[in-house]
Amino acid sequence: MNIPLTGFAPVERWEKQSKHLPNKFKEWIPEEFWPQSIYPECKTVIVIGLPVPPPIIDTAPSIYYHELYKTVNNLLDIRAYELANFITEKRFPSISLPRDGYGDIEVLLKKPLAFFSHKHAAYLAGLGSFGLSNVLLTPEYGPRVRFNSIFTSAPLEPSPLNSNDLCTRCLECFKKCPANSIPPENLKNEFFPYIIDKKSCALRSKSLRKEYRSPCGICIKVCPVGKDRIDFKRDIKTGIAEDKYKKARNHIQSYGTKLKKSP
């Protein structure tokens, strides 16, 4: 099905046990957000991930990234639905989840949570580790990947947890965030996932939606983590594209939105 990232997490990993989870977690996922609370028959969470190519995310915020984001989201919904149906036909009832679990940015401004976290599921499925900006970093694509999940009653073999801390602490996401959503305390915090100002991040997204150039994507495009940067020959030291790509970036940002040019 051309899904490059797939991981398997038994539901027991949502229960905070020292044998499964590192001691750096200051707070863990409340029980009502566990997969077995949402779908009691669930034995395994299958997490799938689709990447966002660096040359496209480099134009963010832009109509280019805006349209690709919608495409990847739609594909995730379709793939998750098809996989759930396939496994159900094998006599292991399964259900797919939406890649997002909220109706609109206005909802997130009042309650900045979805009913299930694909990011935490991806971590528990061994696909990566948390970064300074509270995103999940993968060895293959850094944070430039979107996730979705399938709840299945099949007791599948679990993927090993990723014990590597992929974040380089380069601070590029902290320096470049236009909404100042990453608090300075994160630079000294030993616990993760790191805290971010979800309201300021959501307000930024709200303003960009009105201009048809959401999501923001800055913290994702400046991150140097990921083999994809090597494949696309992008600057892997800072995560920022070389100057020779600036002309193309300015051209794309100048069209298709309500702004002549993005800042």
Side-chain angles (χ1 to χ4, degrees):
M1 299 180 73
N2 295 318
I3 299 173
L5 289 183
T6 307
F8 304 88
V11 294
E12 290 78 18
R13 287 184 179 175
W14 271 259
E15 301 173 10
K16 189 170 183 180
Q17 300 177 22
S18 58
K19 64 179 180 179
H20 291 312
L21 304 171
N23 294 326
K24 280 191 174 183
F25 279 101
K26 187 175 182 180
E27 297 180 359
W28 190 233
I29 306 169
E31 186 173 352
E32 60 265 31
F33 292 89
W34 295 358
Q36 58 269 49
S37 297
I38 299 170
Y39 181 45
E41 294 83 0
C42 186
K43 296 291 187 296
T44 306
V45 176
I46 305 171
V47 184
I48 59 175
L50 295 177
V52 176
I56 300 180
I57 185 66
D58 181 55
T59 69
S62 70
I63 191 65
Y64 201 176
Y65 179 43
H66 173 82
E67 291 298 329
L68 178 73
Y69 191 83
K70 292 192 297 183
T71 298
V72 172
N73 280 347
N74 288 335
L75 285 172
L76 283 169
D77 282 347
I78 292 170
R79 295 292 181 266
Y81 176 78
E82 291 175 338
L83 279 169
N85 286 346
F86 173 80
I87 302 170
T88 298
E89 290 175 357
K90 302 300 180 182
R91 299 297 183 265
F92 291 102
S94 306
I95 58 173
S96 61
L97 274 72
R99 86 281 175 177
D100 293 321
Y102 61 93
D104 190 73
I105 292 293
E106 295 289 349
V107 177
L108 292 183
L109 289 173
K110 297 179 180 179
K111 185 183 293 186
L113 292 172
F115 68 85
F116 183 75
S117 172
H118 299 299
K119 175 176 60 180
H120 286 81
Y123 168 77
L124 292 175
L127 295 178
S129 66
F130 289 99
L132 192 64
S133 60
N134 199 24
V135 295
L136 194 88
L137 307 176
T138 66
E140 299 86 355
Y141 308 105
R144 293 167 295 279
V145 57
R146 296 279 294 158
F147 296 106
N148 203 351
S149 305
I150 298 99
F151 292 171
T152 179
S153 58
L156 302 173
E157 181 178 353
S159 303
L161 286 170
N162 190 323
S163 59
N164 297 323
D165 184 358
L166 298 175
C167 183
T168 65
R169 307 301 192 276
C170 67
L171 306 186
E172 285 297 313
C173 59
F174 172 75
K175 297 174 185 176
K176 300 295 195 307
C177 178
N180 296 316
S181 298
I182 305 173
E185 303 88 79
N186 281 11
L187 308 184
K188 301 178 181 179
N189 195 352
E190 295 182 357
F191 297 100
F192 58 86
Y194 294 97
I195 298 172
I196 65 166
D197 186 343
K198 295 181 179 180
K199 185 174 182 179
S200 67
C201 187
L203 285 171
R204 164 79 171 165
S205 295
K206 180 181 178 181
S207 64
L208 291 175
R209 279 193 175 188
K210 293 179 179 179
E211 299 163 2
Y212 303 103
R213 59 191 191 110
S214 66
C216 174
I218 301 297
C219 64
I220 295 176
K221 81 175 184 179
V222 301
C223 180
V225 178
K227 295 177 182 178
D228 57 339
R229 288 217 171 272
I230 300 175
D231 295 337
F232 281 94
K233 296 181 172 58
R234 297 285 161 150
D235 187 340
I236 60 173
K237 293 183 180 179
T238 64
I240 302 172
E242 299 175 23
D243 289 340
K244 66 180 179 180
Y245 300 113
K246 186 175 181 179
K247 185 177 180 180
R249 182 167 60 250
N250 288 343
H251 170 72
I252 292 170
Q253 290 180 338
S254 297
Y255 295 91
T257 69
K258 288 188 175 182
L259 292 185
K260 292 183 178 179
K261 183 179 178 180
S262 298

